[in-house]
Amino acid sequence: MNKSWILIILVLILIILGGFFVIPGRLAGKVNIEVPQFLQKPFKLGLDLQGGVYLLYQADLSQIEKDNQESSIEGLRDIMERRVNPLGVQEPIVQLQKAGDNYRLMVELAGIEDPQEVIGIIDKPTNLEFREEMSFEEKMEVINMIPMEEVEKMIENLKLETGEDITKEDLTKYIPLYNQTDLTGRYLKKAQIQFDQTAYEPMVAIEFDSEGAKLFEELTRKNWHKPLAIFIDNQLISSPIVGRDDSAEEGCISGGKAVISGGFALDEAKQLAQNLNAGALPVPIELISAQSIGPSLGKISIEKSIIAGMIGFLLVILFMIVIYRFSGLLAIISLFAYIIILLSLFKFASITLTLSGIAGFILSLGMAVDANILIFERLKEEVENSIDDKAEISLGRNIDSAFSRAFTAIRDGNLTTLIICVILFLVASGFVQGFALTLGIGILISMFSAMVITKLFMKTLAGTKLAKFKRIWIR
Amino acid sequence: MNFLRYSKFYFVFSIVLILFSVVALSVWGLKIGIDFSGGTLFEIKYIKDRPEIVDLRKDIDEIILGEFTLQEVGEQEIILRMKEISDEQRQKIIESLGSKDDYSIEEEKKISPIIGGELKKSTARAIILAFIFITLYVAWAFRRVSQPVSSFKYGMAALIALFHDVLITCGIFAVLGEFFNMEINVPFAAALLTILGYSINDTIVVFDRCRENLIRSRKEFKDILNLSLSQIVVRSLFTSVTTLLVLFSIYFFGGATLSSFVLTLIIGIILGTYSSIFIATPLIFIFSKKR
C-alpha cells in the first residue's frame, strides 16, 4: 500500500517539474520561477515553424564517368556547404540524397529572414578553371582562323600602343589564349588572404587537395615562368606568372600550396579569394523543388496550433470528467503525464518540431484518451456484473480485470495505427514523416500512460474509502 | 438491440454514397495539387491594401502563357498557383505584385514534375502497402477464431469497410475540389493513410468483442454479433468523439495550413466509425451465412 502512494506522489511531482521544463520560457518567466539553464533548452523547430528555405537539386551526372561520380557528388556537397556557411544560419543542412538512379542535393536553411535572397546566392553555378597558355603553334592556329580584317585591325592597334613593328607572329605574345586543363575548382580546398611579411601586401594563398596538388605540380612544371590563368564562368579573372619570384630556370610548385601575389589592392585580393572559394560546381545541378516560408507564417502557425491544442485538450478534459467522473479525472492526470513525457522527449532528443508534427501530437491526444475509454467501459461492465462484497476489494478486482481485458483491444487497435505510422515514415518524407513520427511515438507513450499510470492511480485510490462511492467511478 | 436487422438499410445507404463518390470521381476527379503535378505556388500577404484582383490577373496572364489560379484569402492574402515557370517569368511576376514594401511572401513553393511524379508513386505505394499489411494483420490477430467465419474473412470484411471509407472520402473531396477548389496534396495522402489506421483500429475493437463473446457464449452467431455491437457501440462512439473534438478544434482554431488536412481526417474518422459498426459487422454475418 505505501509503495503505491509513494509512486503516486512521485508521478505528481514529476508532472509538475516536467511542466516547468516543457513550458516555453516566457510563461515560466511570468510565474517568476528560476528555471536552471540547461532546462531552458528551446524546442528544435522545423522550417515551417521557423521560416526558412528548403531546396532540392537534381545533379546531372551524365557527363561524368562512373568512377568519378561518387567523388564528384561529394565535392558538390562540400562546395554547397562552403557557400552556405557564411550565411549565418545556425544549423544549415546540406545533404546528399539518392532517389533511384538520381543523385540529389538537399539544402535546408532555417531561420532566414529573406529566403529569396539566399536562393539567388547559393544557386549560382560558377565554373572555376585553371587554364594554361597555348603553345606558339596553337596560338597561330587560332589567329589564322580569325578573318584577315580583324587580324589587321589588331596589328594596327598594337602598333599604335607599343610604337613597335608588330607582325602576325608577334600577336601571340599579346593575345592571351588559353587551353583548358584538368585542374578545376573541385580540387581547390580553400583560398584565403595573406599578407606579405615585409611589404604588407595582400596576397591570396590557395591550397589544393591531394589530387589537385599533383595536377598543380604538373601544370606549374609545364608552365614555369608562364602565366596560369584563373577563369571563372569563362571569364579571365587573373593570370599570375608561375614562379615569378623564383629565378631558377625550371621548377614547379609541389605540395599543393601556392601564393598569388603581385600588386593586389586589398579589395581585389578579397574578391579573388571569394571567387576562388565560391568554387566550381563539379556537377551541373537543377532546382527541382524549392520551398520558402516567411518567418511570420511560421510564428502564426505556432501560435494557432498552441491555441487549438489547448482548446482541444480542454474539450477532452470536459468530456472525460462529465462522462467518466472520478475515473475520468484520473485519466486526465495520466494524460498530463503523457503530454509532459512526450514534450520532454521532443526537447531532450532534439526532435525537430514541424507543423505536421504538432498535428500528429494533437491527434495523439485524442487517441490517447481512447485507451482509457476502453478501460472504463470495461470497468462499467465488470462492476455491473460483479458480486457485491466488500467495496474496496471488489472495485480493485474489477479494475484489474478491466485493465487486463481491455488490453488486447487496445494493443491490437493501436498496433495497426502504428503499422501505418511506420509505413508513412519509411515511404514518405518531410511533412508526412514528421506527422508519422509524432503520432507513432505518441501512441506508444499513450499506451504506457494509460495502462501504467492510470492503473497506478486507480488501484491506489480504489484501496481508500473512495471505493465506497461506486457511482463516481463509472458512468 | 438488433443492429443486424436493419443491415439492408446500412448497405443501401453506403452503396448510394459509394455510387455517388464513383460518379463524382469520374466526372470531376480529384483536384491534384502542385505537390503531385508539379508547379509553383505563391502565398502573398499584403501589408496594407490588396490590389485589385482583376488587374493582377490581367498582368499575370500576360506573363504566364498557361493556366493559373489566383485566389483571395481572408482580407490581405492571395494565393497564386501555376505550372512551372522560368526564372524570368518569376521575376516579372514578383514585379507585378507591387513594390517590395507592400507585401511579404509568406510561402513560395516550386515543385518540378519529376518530384511530383515520384511523390505520386511513393504515395500509391504507401497506400497499397498499408492495405496489404492491415489485411494480413487482421487475419493474423483473429487466427484462432475460425468458426463460423474463417479468420481470413474477418480480414476481408475489414478491408471492404476500409475501401468504403477511403472511396467515399475521395468522393467528397472530388466535390470539394470542384466547388471549393480544395486541392489534393501530400497532407491529404497522409490523412488518408491515418484514416486507414484509425478505421481499422475501430473495426478491431468491434471484432475483438465479437471474438470474446464467441468464445464465451453458446448462442447463435447472429445474436452474438448483435450483443457485441450493443456492448461496443457506446465506446466506439466515445473514442471517435474525443478524437473529433480535438480535430474540430484544430480545424477552427489552428492555422489555415492544416485545415484541409484536418478536414480529411474528420471525414474519414466519422466514416470509419460508421463502417466498423454498420458495414464490417453485418458483412461478417453475411460471410457466415455463405457456407
Side-chain angles (χ1 to χ4, degrees):
Chain A
M1 204 35 87
N2 266 332
K3 198 168 70 164
S4 319
W5 279 107
I6 296 179
L7 278 174
I8 287 192
I9 297 182
L10 212 66
V11 170
L12 285 173
I13 292 182
L14 279 174
I15 292 181
I16 299 181
L17 281 183
F20 286 122
F21 175 57
V22 147
I23 292 178
R26 52 193 171 89
L27 278 183
K30 283 197 185 143
V31 190
N32 265 336
I33 306 257
E34 270 295 307
V35 184
Q37 195 57 30
F38 86 95
L39 285 181
Q40 270 180 30
K41 188 177 170 196
F43 282 103
K44 191 161 172 223
L45 295 177
L47 268 193
D48 50 5
L49 296 178
Q50 263 195 75
V53 181
Y54 165 85
L55 301 164
L56 189 65
Y57 294 98
Q58 173 111 313
D60 179 11
L61 288 170
S62 55
Q63 306 293 327
I64 305 183
E65 303 145 16
K66 268 279 160 126
D67 304 328
N68 288 333
Q69 280 181 356
E70 276 287 333
S71 60
S72 299
I73 205 80
E74 275 169 30
L76 175 70
R77 198 199 76 91
D78 292 338
I79 289 176
M80 256 320 177
E81 239 184 13
R82 259 191 274 159
R83 289 191 187 179
V84 154
N85 277 328
L87 292 172
V89 173
Q90 254 208 342
E91 277 181 43
I93 299 180
V94 179
Q95 264 180 10
L96 285 177
Q97 285 180 354
K98 201 161 181 229
D101 286 329
N102 293 312
Y103 279 97
R104 298 196 176 140
L105 187 70
M106 194 260 293
V107 177
E108 224 181 78
L109 306 168
I112 294 212
E113 274 299 324
D114 187 357
Q116 303 311 318
E117 272 187 41
V118 170
I119 297 183
I121 294 179
I122 65 178
D123 226 13
K124 289 205 187 321
T126 54
N127 200 359
L128 174 64
E129 290 173 315
F130 290 85
R131 296 187 187 170
E132 59 183 355
E133 231 185 10
M134 285 187 187
S135 65
F136 179 76
E137 294 85 19
E138 287 169 315
K139 280 194 183 177
M140 281 313 294
E141 259 189 57
V142 174
I143 293 178
N144 284 331
M145 289 202 294
I146 305 177
M148 268 315 282
E149 304 98 47
E150 300 277 335
V151 176
E152 287 183 359
K153 246 192 250 164
M154 279 192 261
I155 294 181
E156 279 306 314
N157 288 336
L158 277 172
K159 275 196 191 152
L160 286 172
E161 265 185 46
T162 57
E164 288 176 6
D165 211 2
I166 309 283
T167 66
K168 201 161 78 168
E169 283 72 30
D170 287 332
L171 279 177
T172 62
K173 279 190 235 141
Y174 291 100
I175 303 180
L177 288 169
Y178 297 97
N179 270 333
Q180 289 178 317
T181 66
D182 286 328
L183 189 61
T184 63
R186 91 160 249 248
Y187 299 101
L188 186 70
K189 257 168 67 174
K190 66 168 175 254
Q192 55 191 35
I193 303 192
Q194 265 184 15
F195 288 93
D196 178 83
Q197 298 290 18
T198 44
Y200 283 131
E201 221 184 64
M203 311 182 294
V204 178
I206 57 179
E207 189 181 324
F208 292 98
D209 65 11
S210 49
E211 267 190 66
K214 282 193 222 129
L215 285 170
F216 190 60
E217 195 181 310
E218 278 308 308
L219 263 183
T220 49
R221 193 194 315 271
K222 228 171 98 183
N223 290 284
W224 189 252
H225 286 169
K226 283 203 249 159
L228 189 63
I230 303 178
F231 274 76
I232 290 187
D233 283 334
N234 287 317
Q235 275 194 328
L236 177 62
I237 301 294
S238 177
S239 52
I241 311 280
V242 178
R244 194 195 55 179
D245 298 326
D246 189 338
S247 52
E249 280 296 316
E250 283 180 359
C252 69
I253 304 180
S254 53
K257 289 197 191 158
V259 166
I260 306 176
S261 64
F264 281 123
L266 187 57
D267 277 334
E268 287 172 342
K270 269 195 189 165
Q271 187 72 359
L272 180 59
Q274 227 173 29
N275 282 331
L276 288 173
N277 272 327
L281 289 181
V283 183
I285 54 176
E286 184 195 338
L287 187 62
I288 53 176
S289 181
Q291 192 168 4
S292 80
I293 302 207
S296 62
L297 183 63
K299 241 186 280 163
I300 295 177
S301 298
I302 299 183
E303 285 170 10
K304 286 198 169 173
S305 322
I306 294 185
I307 295 179
M310 292 206 287
I311 294 180
F313 187 44
L314 273 167
L315 288 173
V316 168
I317 293 180
L318 256 157
F319 181 84
M320 288 303 277
I321 294 190
V322 163
I323 305 275
Y324 293 109
R325 310 172 197 185
F326 190 62
S327 305
L329 182 66
L330 296 180
I332 296 299
I333 296 181
S334 82
L335 205 62
F336 268 111
Y338 162 69
I339 295 178
I340 303 287
I341 296 178
L342 202 63
L343 289 179
S344 308
L345 195 65
F346 286 155
K347 250 200 190 186
F348 262 134
S350 279
I351 295 182
T352 310
L353 224 48
T354 60
L355 193 60
S356 61
I358 294 185
F361 167 59
I362 299 183
L363 181 62
S364 73
L365 273 183
M367 294 175 77
V369 208
D370 290 359
N372 289 301
I373 293 181
L374 285 179
I375 295 169
F376 294 157
E377 288 293 321
R378 210 44 198 261
L379 182 62
K380 174 174 192 239
E381 283 184 10
E382 297 289 329
V383 167
E384 283 170 356
N385 292 337
S386 74
I387 330 161
D388 226 351
D389 52 350
K390 194 150 173 239
E392 290 95 353
I393 301 183
S394 82
L395 186 60
R397 212 175 40 220
N398 289 332
I399 291 180
D400 276 330
S401 2
F403 271 90
S404 59
R405 287 247 172 87
F407 180 63
T408 44
I410 296 176
R411 178 200 64 196
D412 289 345
N414 279 339
L415 211 59
T416 49
T417 317
L418 275 175
I419 293 179
I420 299 282
C421 286
V422 169
I423 295 179
L424 277 179
F425 189 78
L426 291 177
V427 175
S429 64
F431 180 96
V432 184
Q433 260 191 341
F435 175 71
L437 185 65
T438 44
L439 189 60
I441 296 181
I443 290 178
L444 285 172
I445 297 187
S446 73
M447 275 210 285
F448 164 75
S449 76
M451 296 297 298
V452 172
I453 300 185
T454 316
K455 187 170 186 186
L456 169 68
F457 275 84
M458 289 188 79
K459 281 299 297 278
T460 318
L461 288 167
T464 66
K465 297 238 173 61
L466 285 171
K468 289 214 182 91
F469 307 99
K470 283 228 174 111
R471 275 282 115 191
I472 67 168
W473 289 87
I474 58 176
R475 66 179 176 88
Chain B
M1 190 184 143
N2 195 345
F3 283 92
L4 291 179
R5 188 203 295 196
Y6 306 103
S7 300
K8 291 216 184 77
F9 292 109
Y10 316 143
F11 287 139
V12 164
F13 180 60
S14 285
I15 290 182
V16 165
L17 281 178
I18 290 183
L19 278 176
F20 167 75
S21 303
V22 168
V23 166
L25 284 168
S26 332
V27 170
W28 295 314
L30 291 170
K31 207 162 174 65
I32 308 282
I34 69 170
D35 279 358
F36 292 120
S37 66
T40 315
L41 171 138
F42 290 92
E43 187 180 326
I44 312 280
K45 184 174 188 162
Y46 283 94
I47 303 190
K48 288 193 203 130
D49 295 316
R50 189 165 58 186
E52 282 297 324
I53 292 297
V54 188
D55 297 332
L56 260 180
R57 216 171 249 148
K58 229 192 328 172
D59 290 336
I60 296 182
D61 201 24
E62 285 167 19
I63 305 174
I64 304 180
L65 304 159
E67 286 183 25
F68 67 93
T69 65
L70 179 56
Q71 261 181 298
E72 292 171 298
V73 175
E75 297 290 311
Q76 290 166 296
E77 296 185 9
I78 58 168
I79 295 188
L80 184 57
R81 289 193 191 98
M82 61 201 87
K83 293 257 161 73
E84 266 196 306
I85 53 176
S86 68
D87 281 337
E88 298 110 43
Q89 282 173 314
R90 181 188 173 275
Q91 202 47 42
K92 287 201 202 128
I93 291 179
I94 298 280
E95 282 162 20
S96 72
L97 289 173
S99 90
K100 247 199 168 178
D101 301 319
D102 291 338
Y103 66 87
S104 71
I105 300 184
E106 296 287 280
E107 184 178 351
E108 179 181 347
K109 245 204 244 193
K110 169 196 146 121
I111 304 207
S112 90
I114 309 175
I115 290 275
E118 283 179 10
L119 273 179
K120 256 195 254 179
K121 268 194 238 150
S122 67
T123 305
R125 212 185 307 150
I127 294 183
I128 295 177
L129 267 178
F131 271 117
I132 295 178
F133 272 107
I134 287 179
T135 319
L136 286 177
Y137 178 76
V138 175
W140 177 82
F142 287 87
R143 63 194 178 288
R144 290 213 205 97
V145 200
S146 311
Q147 295 292 338
V149 172
S150 74
S151 68
F152 180 65
K153 296 243 175 76
Y154 279 98
M156 286 296 298
L159 201 63
I160 295 178
L162 274 185
F163 267 120
H164 162 274
D165 297 340
V166 170
L167 195 55
I168 298 182
T169 306
C170 288
I172 294 180
F173 267 85
V175 174
L176 289 176
E178 176 67 22
F179 296 105
F180 293 96
N181 265 326
M182 267 203 179
E183 291 193 334
I184 304 294
N185 280 316
V186 168
F188 174 80
L192 222 52
L193 285 160
T194 313
I195 292 172
L196 283 181
Y198 196 86
S199 171
I200 266 294
N201 196 329
D202 211 44
T203 313
I204 286 191
V205 166
V206 179
F207 283 1
D208 183 76
R209 179 48 67 98
C210 296
R211 162 172 68 185
E212 193 187 310
N213 286 341
L214 212 55
I215 298 177
R216 282 209 277 174
S217 156
R218 292 261 141 233
K219 295 197 199 138
E220 269 218 37
F221 193 47
K222 182 173 187 183
D223 297 324
I224 292 182
L225 287 181
N226 274 323
L227 177 67
S228 314
L229 282 177
S230 351
Q231 291 170 338
I232 285 294
V233 77
V234 168
R235 96 193 42 185
S236 190
L237 210 63
F238 282 173
T239 53
S240 308
V241 163
T242 52
T243 314
L244 285 172
L245 278 176
V246 162
L247 286 176
F248 273 117
S249 77
I250 302 181
Y251 183 70
F252 289 113
F253 301 104
T257 326
L258 283 179
S259 63
S260 70
F261 170 63
V262 168
L263 185 64
T264 319
L265 284 175
I266 290 177
I267 294 176
I269 288 181
I270 294 177
L271 284 170
T273 314
Y274 163 78
S275 72
S276 307
I277 299 178
F278 297 105
I279 302 293
T281 317
L283 273 179
I284 293 282
F285 180 60
I286 292 184
F287 287 162
S288 77
K289 284 205 289 188
K290 291 186 175 171
R291 289 223 103 217

